[in-house]
Structures are given as structure tokens and as C-alpha cells.
Amino acid sequence: MLHDISMTIDGAAVASDQRLDVVDPATGAVIGSSPICTGEQLDAAMAAASAAGNGWSRDDDARRHALRDVATILRANVDELAGILTAEQGKPLADAAGEVRGSAAWFDYYANLDVGDQVVQDDERAQVIVRRRPIGVVAAISPWNVPLLLANWKVAPALRAGNTVVLKPSPFTPLSTLRMGEILSEILPPGVLNVVAGTDELGVWMTAHPTPRKVSFTGSIATGKRVAVAAAADLKRMTLELGGNDPAIVLDDVDIASVAPALFESAFNNAGQICCAAKRVYVHESRHDELAEALVEIARTVKVGPGTAPDVRMGPLATPVQRDHVERLVDQARDAGAQVLTGGRRMGDDGYFYEPTIVTNADPDSDLVAHEQFGPALPLISYDDEAAALGHANATNYGLGASVWSADPGRAADLADRIQAGTVWTNSHRGLGMHIPFGGVKWSGVGIENGPWGLDAYTDIQVLNRAR
Ligand code: NAD
């Protein structure tokens, strides 16, 4: 049982009298608990982060080394962290281990990236230098689907740029992040990374707190809007990585045998709980049935089960609320005349499993198509005219990712050019990397994570204008 994992505040392990149960989504059983941070403890975390900022921001080399040490210690603890992650989130162990290794890779990447000055004028009148200064204390708030990696998309660049951080994981998956905080307290100076935990209310306190100068949030659009309102009160900088309803447009010239597995993997990885998963497929009417059949065949062979069992490719939904949400969307679509070709039901008596589900003939305006399902249910919509498919793809407030699938790179590129999304893939749907900027347009986000752009997002520009 995981009942003794602490918060990390000012380098010390901090407990709390009040605790929140954490449940294994594969069984529904309580596997541990997380502390619930009090207002005083949050104040202490913010004060520690603020006090640590001075020393931390001054020594670029020390930060670089510390980030490398973080990467090393994360790699040394892959098994423990992956075990906790699978236990609280449900994903297969191999994917959880990949998430921990990915986190380490993000720290290595940012350790090697320079927070450089840029000379924009150097003449007889002046030398003008654009400097990148840390913003200060960053309040980082993460979701439950990819808890460690998405937290570290924030922590690594924020620390590299010289900021200090107060990090809050989701109440559904707090343990892996809290444990990471304990492990990293062995290397990071006290106060540089504080990890607190609690209910959603703690997120509200953090965004309203006067100390942070930046809020970095990943989560739903609805919460993102609340965060933006709270951050506006004292003009905190913000990065918001929000929900997506990514369209995949499949043209008439594709090779279904290669498209179907790639599309399936993109839509059903992490049981569909990925912000930039393919969430609605527009397929040319001449290839609709063939693609549907191929996806159904794959769906029926996927091994679904607890993330700890060997060969399992899909775990449960992470929360009962999410399972109920997916169930409701599929049931509504079915009641309105859509065909559920495979899946469409809960699985087993324990845990929050839902069958990999392929749906055709859903109304384009149904919630299953028009909203983010964030689960293992994929609707296919047939089109006869590319312009109509493009219209459907863009007729939404979401704008995170999208993909176009075609044997003809020119056709794919032409359509990709007209899609409104932060990332458009062709003949794939999901490639992300520490060096590749990631963010949403429209309601899918504000700002960018990853790459040098992600580092810039944790800096304020200061101009040093030296008159000659
Ligand atoms: P959520 O918005 O419910 O919660 C996210 C985090 O915000 C949690 O830590 C939660 O405790 C906290 N929170 C809740 N209310 C708050 C408030 N009023 N103020 C401050 N913090 C608050 O999201 P979720 O259900 O955990 O995550 C799923 C959503 O996240 C999906 O919509 C998904 O698409 C999105 N997501 C986006 C990305 C991306 O990079 N764009 C990545 C992963 C997930």
C-alpha cells in the first residue's frame, strides 16, 4: 500500500493529517493515499520556491548539471516510478516505463539547451542585447492521463531557465509525481522543486496565489478557461495545453493495410486518453467499409487488461467518470442510429475497463464526433468530397492536432495546409518530441511547450541597451 508518500516542500518530506484515497483503475481498489495540502503548506511551498529562486537563477552551469543529475536519477528509478504510475493510472507497465524514460530524456535535452543572449544591434550608437530572464515562481498543474511526462514538459524547461516550481499533480494520479518529488529532493537544492497534492481546490489556490508569476497548466478546456481567468487577476504569464478533438482525414488513395494499424495505435494508445489522439476519422466513401473492417479486426485482437499483466496493450480508463463519459457518448450515438461495429460495452466486473470500440454512421453533430471522447471509442465518418471533410475538420473550437493520410504526398500536403491545428501530421498521427514545439490553436491552448520555444515560455525578455 502506498500510504506514506509525502509532499516535498523546501526540500523536506511533508505529510498532512488529511489524505485522499488513490484507486487502482484496474481493480477499483484503494492502493494508497496522497496528502492533502493545507493553505499554510501551500504558502510554505510558495515561500520556499521564492527564496530558492535567487541562488538557482544565478548559476547556469549548476542548473545544467542538476538537470543531468535529475535525468540520471530518474533512469535509476524507472521500475519503481513506472510501477506506481501503472498502479494509479492503469497504463501498461512498458508504457509507464517509457513515460519515466521520456521524462529523463526531457531533462537531458533541456540541460543541453542554452538560454542564450542575442545581440540585435551593435553599432556606433548602441549595443542592444536581448536577454532571457527567468520569470520567477512557476505554478505547474498537470492532468491524470500522462502524469509524469506532462509534468516534466513543464518542470524541465522551467528549471533550466532559472525559475523555481510548485507542482501539483491530478488528485487521481498524485503518487508517481509525489514520489518523483521525493527522489529529486536528493539532488535539487531545497525549494527549487516543490511538489504538493490535494483536490482541484488546491489548483484554484495556486492560480490565485500572489507568489507565482507564471501558471503552466495541462488539462481540459473548461478548467483551462478558469485558470486563465484566475491568472488574469494579477497578469500571471500562462501556458495552457488543453483538450483536442483531432480529425484524421483519410483520402481515397491510401493503402488500408498500413493506415489501419497506425491509425488504431494513435487512437487507442493509453486507452484513447491522449490529448492529441486521432478522435474522429473522416474517410472517403470508397474506402470507408474497408477501413472500418480493418480497424474492427485490430480492435478485436487487442489484449485489454490490467497494465501489470504481460502482453496487455490497453489498460482501463483512468477514472470511473471518464469510463462513464465514454459509455454515454457511445450509447447516445447508438440510440441516434449509429452502428457500433465492435465494442461498445464495459468489460469485467472490476475496474474501469471499456472495450475498444469502432462506430460508423454517427451524426457529425453527435457528442461522440463533435466533442473529445478521451477514451477507446473511435467514430468513422464517410465523405464524398474533400472540401466537405476539411469543412468538418475545421468546424470546431478545438485545434490541437490533425492528420491527413494519402499515398500522394502532394495531395496530403495540400490538405494539411488548410487544416486549423497546432500540429498536422501526414501519414501518421502522434509524433511528438522534446525538440518539436507542441501547442494548440483556438480553444486547444495558449502558448507552446517543448523545444527552444518551450524554454522561451519560461522566460521574460529583458533588453539591455548600452549606449556607446
Ligand atoms: P482537468 O482540467 O480536470 O484537471 C487538470 C488539472 O487541473 C488537475 O491537476 C486538476 O486537479 C486541476 N484543476 C482542476 N480544477 C482546477 C481549477 N479550477 N484551477 C486550477 N487547477 C484545477 O483535466 P484532466 O481531466 O485531468 O485531463 C484531461 C484533459 O486534459 C483532456 O481534456 C485532455 O485533452 C487534456 N490534456 C491536454 C494535453 C495537451 O498537451 N494539450 C495533454 C494531456 C491532457
Side-chain angles (χ1 to χ4, degrees):
M1 281 289 216
L2 301 161
H3 282 296
D4 55 358
I5 299 183
S6 301
M7 298 187 286
T8 298
I9 297 177
D10 203 11
V14 174
S16 169
D17 292 339
Q18 278 192 304
R19 300 191 72 88
L20 192 68
D21 281 345
V22 178
V23 166
D24 178 350
T27 60
V30 173
I31 48 146
S33 61
S34 113
I36 298 181
C37 187
T38 65
E40 292 72 34
Q41 287 169 330
L42 180 64
D43 287 344
M46 292 294 179
S50 193
N54 236 340
W56 180 251
S57 64
R58 294 222 163 164
D59 191 340
D60 187 75
D61 261 357
R63 293 203 304 278
R64 206 187 276 281
H65 284 117
L67 260 63
R68 289 202 183 108
D69 290 345
V70 168
T72 304
I73 202 167
L74 286 178
R75 286 194 185 98
N77 288 278
V78 165
D79 290 345
E80 185 194 353
L81 288 170
I84 299 173
L85 186 49
T86 291
E88 67 181 353
Q89 201 276 343
K91 66 183 64 181
L93 257 182
D95 293 351
E99 191 174 327
V100 183
R101 284 196 201 94
S103 295
W106 248 259
F107 280 99
D108 268 340
Y109 170 79
Y110 278 108
N112 292 331
L113 212 61
D114 286 326
V115 191
D117 294 351
Q118 202 185 336
V119 178
V120 292
Q121 182 183 333
D122 198 359
D123 57 22
E124 64 291 348
R125 287 177 296 140
Q127 184 191 46
V128 181
I129 305 171
V130 176
R131 310 182 68 200
R132 289 283 177 177
R133 313 295 294 169
I135 299 172
V137 174
V138 173
I141 300 175
S142 48
W144 48 257
N145 60 328
V146 188
L148 279 180
L149 187 60
L150 293 178
N152 290 322
W153 281 17
K154 306 177 184 314
V155 176
L159 296 189
R160 178 69 189 99
N163 306 279
T164 54
V165 174
V166 177
L167 168 64
K168 185 197 91 64
S170 163
F172 295 107
T173 56
L175 300 177
S176 49
T177 307
L178 286 166
R179 180 67 191 124
M180 179 180 78
E182 291 180 341
I183 292 168
L184 299 192
S185 71
E186 292 169 26
I187 9 179
L188 293 171
V192 164
L193 174 63
N194 305 273
V195 184
V196 294
T199 61
D200 291 349
E201 195 182 14
L202 179 59
V204 177
W205 295 351
M206 286 170 72
T207 49
H209 201 282
T211 300
R213 289 307 312 143
K214 164 143 188 160
V215 179
S216 185
F217 171 84
T218 300
S220 62
I221 289 173
T223 309
K225 289 180 179 176
R226 282 182 215 119
V227 168
V229 169
D234 60 354
L235 297 177
K236 291 182 176 75
R237 277 69 183 135
M238 59 176 139
T239 299
L240 306 176
E241 292 289 359
L242 308 179
N245 189 18
D246 290 14
I249 304 181
V250 180
L251 303 192
D252 54 7
D253 61 359
V254 292
D255 170 30
I256 296 287
S258 63
V259 169
L263 204 45
F264 187 89
E265 169 61 18
S266 142
F268 290 85
N269 184 278
N270 203 23
Q273 302 162 115
I274 294 201
C275 52
C276 57
K279 293 186 177 140
R280 47 193 173 121
V281 177
Y282 296 95
V283 50
H284 190 267
E285 60 184 3
S286 65
R287 311 304 298 280
H288 174 274
D289 293 356
E290 205 184 333
L291 180 63
E293 223 170 273
L295 290 171
V296 165
E297 203 177 309
I298 301 169
R300 289 192 175 140
T301 58
V302 167
K303 185 162 176 196
V304 181
T308 46
D311 303 329
V312 157
R313 271 182 62 205
M314 198 179 103
L317 277 298
T319 74
V321 174
Q322 197 56 32
R323 190 265 323 271
D324 294 352
H325 169 72
V326 174
E327 184 177 57
R328 189 168 53 249
L329 295 189
V330 173
D331 288 352
Q332 275 174 0
R334 183 169 24 211
D335 291 348
Q339 269 115 50
V340 178
L341 299 185
T342 189
R345 284 173 311 184
R346 299 176 178 208
M347 292 174 71
D349 300 327
D350 301 323
Y352 317 134
F353 292 96
Y354 194 81
E355 293 175 335
T357 300
I358 305 290
V359 179
T360 57
N361 287 329
D363 184 330
D365 295 327
S366 66
D367 283 350
L368 179 63
V369 178
H371 293 288
E372 183 181 34
Q373 69 274 49
F374 217 59
L378 185 64
L380 266 62
I381 304 105
S382 148
Y383 69 85
D384 57 359
D385 169 21
E386 266 165 44
L390 183 70
H392 281 304
N394 286 337
T396 174
N397 288 317
Y398 295 95
L400 195 56
S403 59
V404 181
W405 303 71
S406 170
D408 177 342
R411 278 181 81 193
D414 179 54
L415 206 54
D417 202 40
R418 290 182 282 152
I419 294 184
Q420 298 156 359
T423 301
V424 186
W425 293 272
T426 62
N427 294 322
S428 79
H429 193 126
R430 226 168 59 90
L432 301 171
M434 64 272 284
H435 56 298
I436 304 172
F438 181 73
V441 301
K442 300 199 257 185
W443 287 8
S444 285
V446 174
I448 287 290
E449 294 196 298
N450 301 334
W453 304 270
L455 187 62
D456 285 352
Y458 290 96
T459 64
D460 280 329
I461 282 183
Q462 183 186 56
V463 177
L464 187 58
N465 194 324
R466 294 168 161 159
R468 298 285 187 203

